[in-house]
Amino acid sequence: MPLPENDDVPLVKLPNLGTLQGSTTISAFSGRKILQFLSIKYGETTAGEHRFKAPRKALPWEGVRDVSRYGLPCPQLKRIAEFSAKQFTPDIEDCLTLSVYTNQLTGKKPVMFFIHGGGFYEGAGSNQTPEFLLEKDIVLVVIQYRLGPLGFLSLKTEEMPGNAGMLDIKLALEWVRDNIGHFGGDAGNVTVFGQSAGAAAVSALMYSPLIPDGYFHKVILQSGGSSAPWVWDKDPVEHTMDIAVRAGCDPHAKVGERSAMPLEEAERCLRKLDVWQLLRSFLDHKNETTVLKGSAEVGGNRLTVGDYHGFLPETPWERIKAGKIRQNIPMMAGVVKHEGTFLLTTIYDVLSRKGLLENEDYLKYQLVEMINKFLGAGDPTGAMEGFQIRSLFTPEQLASGKFNELVDGLNDLAGTILIKAPLLREAQASSRVNPEGTFLYSFDYEGEKTRFGYGADTSHYPFQGGVHHSNDLLYVFPYPPGETKLNEADTKMAKLMVDLWTSFATTGIPSSDLAGVQWKPMKDYAGPYLHIDKDQRIGTNFYEEFSVCSDEKKKAQK
């Protein structure tokens, strides 16, 4: 229930928990007042004996808890500097928090529940701020969940069950069910949305038997699907043991060798290990495995099939094939135009380290096969490779043996395997049971800002990012976080995106007066779908997005 407040210090009393004191900000375009409650605990600490285990509900507190500022993200090496003042952060594994943003504390407004991406090993709730979406009458919830080995290591035991990060998200949904009404939100109208790994998490929630009907009512998947090879840990026990060896848990084993250490000993060692040593050992495993075996062979930041608690007894794709598709859940799902440039940087760097960029024979005859295997889509017969070569490259491009000439086809290849094909599967499954409520899109708009490189230097790459992975988020959440200034064209795109996303969350049908066309539901196998660009248009065959870069280059050369 809301309590008496002044203009800048909103108070909310949560029955059976306690009182929260938030702060305020304003929306980007109209200056609407936003009440914000930042880094609210929904779960207790996951440190010590609770590391790797299922989360526990947050306990009640006495007095008024200040939630006017962001807390720390869940531990991740990329942001280690934020944890350096340890005297102020005695428990860095106490990170199960969520932030709630609302225009007013009364009423029953649609709830939008966001799950961040970052490959299941990076990201934070503070990266997504409300200034765009809270132009509309919705309540926004942005959560944090355990990342990397802290959230996803698995021995499939009670002590290290696997999918702990997904169980965190389940607990956050339960918190929303029980408490969001006190922020003016409608627990009966919750849209779960996520981008990249966050979208894969949304899919996993849809197909988990542990998630009851009624926890959410609509979904939005942005650039991610759970049948992508990067989502799954192919051998969670073996990968956990490899990380344990790298962490020094088995003094008799060498890195790269199979450890004979009992699983119980490995679990005890990893539980007591310093957080940063655990994260460094995971990153060593990830980096070395990626170079030697490919990105699909990595563990420690992936979902586990057959986890101890039964969150995912089988993959979503297996459930889809068996017809076990959740009914009456409207879906929006889509990709950005140039998804492949995100991974093309890694492929380029691997080829460079191996001295293969100038090897014309390798680029002509082995590169496509290497990329398929690297991304987890290898085919020993060569048949799939043949179809890819036929559709993505001209004979002249292949004959050149030059990486620069092959870039457009490689962009399509990587983007299709990693994002576009798995995303289309999600939409097709939804359309089978809800043809009037499934909306597919391709985000084609190239604005002033880009996430290409995610802050790293990209000047040495012989290609641009284009409409890069995550660029659609630039118009849903301000980037950098809280910095809302956009040029005129980008502002118009942000207003369009906010209209589409929030109208879908409200009614299940995306619409906007700014759209030049009506977004039609996906009633056919691969369409129709919306091209979101400066001028919107309707596409009929989403499979054309699998070869969009190479097709455009061929047209330009005619």
Side-chain angles (χ1 to χ4, degrees):
M1 61 180 289
L3 296 173
E5 61 189 71
N6 66 38
D7 287 345
D8 298 313
V9 186
L11 295 171
V12 170
K13 183 176 182 180
L14 303 179
N16 305 315
L17 282 175
T19 300
L20 297 171
Q21 176 182 302
S23 56
T24 64
T25 186
I26 60 172
S27 66
F29 311 130
S30 66
R32 291 186 78 183
K33 183 177 177 181
I34 300 170
L35 311 180
Q36 53 184 10
F37 301 84
L38 309 176
S39 299
I40 305 168
K41 285 184 66 165
Y42 69 84
E44 288 298 307
T45 180
T46 60
E49 64 177 305
H50 305 291
R51 183 184 284 181
F52 308 128
K53 293 182 179 179
R56 301 166 298 139
K57 282 187 176 182
L59 296 172
W61 61 90
E62 297 291 334
V64 177
R65 177 170 285 178
D66 183 0
V67 288
S68 61
R69 295 178 297 275
Y70 291 112
L72 286 170
C74 285
Q76 52 198 283
L77 276 177
K78 190 173 183 178
R79 301 178 69 153
I80 190 172
E82 296 178 41
F83 296 87
S84 58
K86 287 191 175 181
Q87 68 270 25
F88 300 113
T89 55
D91 184 357
I92 62 176
E93 292 179 71
D94 188 6
C95 67
L96 298 187
T97 65
L98 54 81
S99 297
V100 180
Y101 308 92
T102 184
N103 295 125
Q104 58 186 118
L105 299 173
T106 56
K108 293 184 70 174
K109 294 179 284 295
V111 178
M112 298 187 71
F113 179 104
F114 185 73
I115 305 172
H116 70 73
F120 294 118
Y121 71 101
E122 293 177 346
S126 59
N127 288 348
Q128 294 81 35
T129 59
E131 293 87 353
F132 293 166
L133 289 173
L134 265 292
E135 284 288 340
K136 302 297 182 178
D137 289 326
I138 58 106
V139 175
L140 174 65
V141 179
V142 180
I143 70 161
Q144 295 191 161
Y145 55 97
R146 280 174 284 178
L147 301 170
L150 295 166
F152 295 95
L153 275 187
S154 178
L155 292 174
K156 299 187 176 183
T157 63
E158 185 174 7
E159 298 298 309
M160 194 182 285
N163 296 332
M166 293 304 306
L167 295 174
D168 296 343
I169 298 171
K170 176 178 180 286
L171 184 61
L173 282 168
E174 292 169 356
W175 189 98
V176 166
R177 177 198 63 194
D178 296 340
N179 297 291
I180 204 63
H182 300 287
F183 299 88
D186 181 0
N189 189 5
V190 176
T191 297
V192 177
F193 68 127
Q195 187 266 345
S196 195
V202 173
S203 172
L205 292 170
M206 290 184 67
Y207 293 100
S208 170
L210 291 191
I211 304 297
D213 290 339
Y215 271 37
F216 55 87
H217 312 89
K218 307 178 191 72
V219 295
I220 303 174
L221 281 71
Q222 298 177 232
S223 298
S226 61
S227 62
W230 52 267
V231 174
W232 301 101
D233 194 329
K234 290 184 176 180
D235 194 341
V237 174
E238 181 62 29
H239 294 148
T240 297
M241 296 302 288
D242 181 62
I243 291 169
V245 169
R246 293 172 186 273
C249 292
D250 184 353
H252 306 293
K254 295 180 180 179
V255 172
E257 294 180 354
R258 183 180 294 270
S259 173
M261 176 175 49
L263 298 185
E264 296 81 1
E265 288 186 22
E267 182 272 319
R268 282 195 295 270
C269 174
L270 291 169
R271 188 178 305 282
K272 295 177 181 178
L273 201 64
D274 173 75
V275 169
W276 305 114
Q277 187 178 352
L278 173 61
L279 294 179
R280 288 189 184 95
S281 300
F282 153 69
L283 212 57
D284 286 346
H285 158 84
K286 178 181 180 295
N287 292 340
E288 186 172 318
T289 302
T290 297
V291 172
L292 295 178
K293 300 180 180 180
S295 63
E297 303 299 323
V298 170
N301 65 317
R302 307 282 170 89
L303 303 186
T304 294
V305 177
D307 60 288
Y308 177 84
H309 292 295
F311 185 85
L312 288 169
E314 54 192 343
T315 67
W317 179 234
E318 289 167 333
R319 294 181 72 84
I320 289 171
K321 288 188 291 184
K324 300 175 183 177
I325 304 170
R326 203 175 289 255
Q327 305 287 316
N328 302 316
I329 302 289
M331 174 186 286
M332 259 174 60
V335 301
V336 301
K337 184 175 182 178
H338 302 122
E339 294 281 6
T341 52
F342 172 48
L343 253 292
L344 207 52
T345 55
T346 301
I347 292 167
Y348 183 89
D349 291 340
V350 168
L351 292 172
S352 179
R353 280 197 292 270
K354 292 183 176 182
L356 295 171
L357 282 175
E358 306 302 324
N359 187 327
E360 292 189 4
D361 280 348
Y362 183 88
L363 297 183
K364 287 180 187 177
Y365 301 111
Q366 298 180 54
L367 179 59
V368 173
E369 179 189 19
M370 170 265 186
I371 291 176
N372 279 319
K373 291 177 65 176
F374 183 83
L375 299 179
D379 172 20
T381 71
M384 185 170 72
E385 179 186 340
F387 282 115
Q388 292 166 336
I389 289 173
R390 174 69 179 83
S391 62
L392 300 179
F393 306 97
T394 66
E396 293 78 15
Q397 289 167 347
L398 283 169
S400 74
K402 297 185 183 302
F403 188 91
N404 295 16
E405 290 295 317
L406 302 172
V407 159
D408 294 284
L410 298 177
N411 190 352
D412 285 329
L413 179 62
T416 297
I417 293 172
L418 288 168
I419 303 294
K420 293 185 178 183
L423 185 285
L424 180 58
R425 273 186 169 179
E426 302 280 356
Q428 288 169 335
S430 174
S431 183
R432 281 168 57 184
V433 299
N434 198 358
E436 296 291 340
T438 303
F439 297 88
L440 185 62
Y441 71 86
S442 175
F443 183 83
D444 300 346
Y445 178 74
E446 192 165 357
E448 182 179 22
K449 297 181 179 181
T450 182
R451 297 308 314 277
F452 183 42
Y454 293 102
D457 179 26
T458 59
S459 59
H460 61 291
Y461 295 118
F463 51 88
Q464 300 295 313
V467 187
H468 186 264
H469 190 66
S470 303
N471 275 15
D472 53 341
L473 281 184
L474 295 171
Y475 309 97
V476 179
F477 300 107
Y479 181 80
E483 297 187 17
T484 61
K485 187 175 181 180
L486 298 173
N487 65 32
E488 183 178 355
D490 290 0
T491 297
K492 184 176 180 181
M493 177 53 63
K495 289 180 177 180
L496 171 65
M497 293 286 280
V498 167
D499 279 354
L500 295 173
W501 263 236
T502 58
S503 61
F504 176 80
T506 302
T507 67
I509 300 174
S511 63
S512 172
D513 292 340
L514 298 174
V517 295
Q518 181 184 359
W519 191 346
K520 299 178 181 179
M522 178 189 170
K523 295 183 180 180
D524 299 323
Y525 192 67
Y529 66 103
L530 179 67
H531 286 274
I532 302 176
D533 202 345
K534 186 176 180 180
D535 297 307
Q536 295 77 50
R537 60 186 176 89
I538 299 296
T540 58
N541 183 2
F542 193 81
Y543 285 106
E544 292 176 358
E545 302 307 313
F546 289 16
S547 58
V548 62
C549 302
S550 53
D551 288 346
E552 287 185 351
K553 184 167 186 177
K554 291 172 187 174
K555 289 178 182 177
Q557 291 177 336
K558 286 184 178 179

